[in-house]
Amino acid sequence: MRNWQRVAICAIAGLVFGGGGAVLSVRAGALGSQNMIGPWVTGRDFGTEQASRYTRAVVALRGLLALPATEARYYTAATDDSGAPLDGACRYVVTGGTLPAKWWSLTLYDREGYLVPNEAGVYSVGSAGLPPAEAANWRVMIAPKVQPGHWLPTGRIARFELTLRAYLPADGGTGDFSAGQLPRIANAGCA
């Protein structure tokens, strides 16, 4: 084999493996500069001018982190508080209190970042829809079947993720919420 052929084969293999690895990594939505706070994950550079090209690629593909940090902070969870993956056949109780932001929303997505189709047409629960008496101590049920109170349907998909958006954070988006401020995600049983 000639020298130029070896170089060409190595260059092609590098492009295929390197490019393929980058595409898989971006599609998985993994962010290199992230903070783990219990089951919740947030990026250190979401919505900032310092966002890396990699973070920008994930945002462009998944579209879940569109606003600057001064306007919204984003937290995602793919596991419950015990670290087990969120399963669409199970029931979960998500509980929280007042967040240091003007308002918040909790939305359920499939692993590709799409809303989960459901007959009820329910995709999100937010602080604006809570009675004032519940604002400091709220509860959302996540389950495949209708639940009393605030409910997000899973559509029985194998795995799902939750995204918590906190709009107009009190600190101007300069820091993360603490584990005590973020909602708890408890498994309440599986079918």
Side-chain angles (χ1 to χ4, degrees), residues 81 93-97 137-140 181-186:
D81 286 345
V93 180
V94 180
T95 55
N137 188 18
W138 53 269
R139 170 183 144 141
V140 174
Q181 293 170 317
L182 289 168
R184 309 271 314 170
I185 307 169

Side-chain angles (χ1 to χ4, degrees), residues 90-114:
C90 298
R91 290 181 26 228
Y92 297 90
V93 180
V94 180
T95 55
T98 305
L99 291 174
K102 293 289 183 190
W103 71 94
W104 56 264
S105 68
L106 181 68
T107 309
L108 188 142
Y109 294 98
D110 67 17
R111 294 300 300 239
E112 270 82 58
Y114 294 102

Side-chain angles (χ1 to χ4, degrees), residues 140-164:
V140 174
M141 293 298 299
I142 297 174
K145 295 182 181 177
V146 177
Q147 301 292 306
H150 307 291
W151 167 60
L152 287 175
T154 65
R156 290 196 169 274
I157 61 174
R159 298 282 182 259
F160 66 89
E161 295 179 357
L162 297 171
T163 296
L164 176 72

Side-chain angles (χ1 to χ4, degrees), residues 1-14:
M1 184 178 288
R2 296 188 178 172
N3 200 24
W4 69 268
Q5 290 172 320
R6 287 188 191 116
V7 170
I9 289 171
C10 288
I12 291 170

Side-chain angles (χ1 to χ4, degrees), residues 33-56:
S33 59
Q34 63 187 16
N35 292 335
M36 300 263 331
I37 307 166
W40 299 98
V41 178
T42 189
R44 289 191 287 267
D45 59 356
F46 290 171
T48 68
E49 291 179 10
Q50 294 76 35
S52 67
R53 288 182 179 142
Y54 183 69
T55 296
R56 291 172 193 261

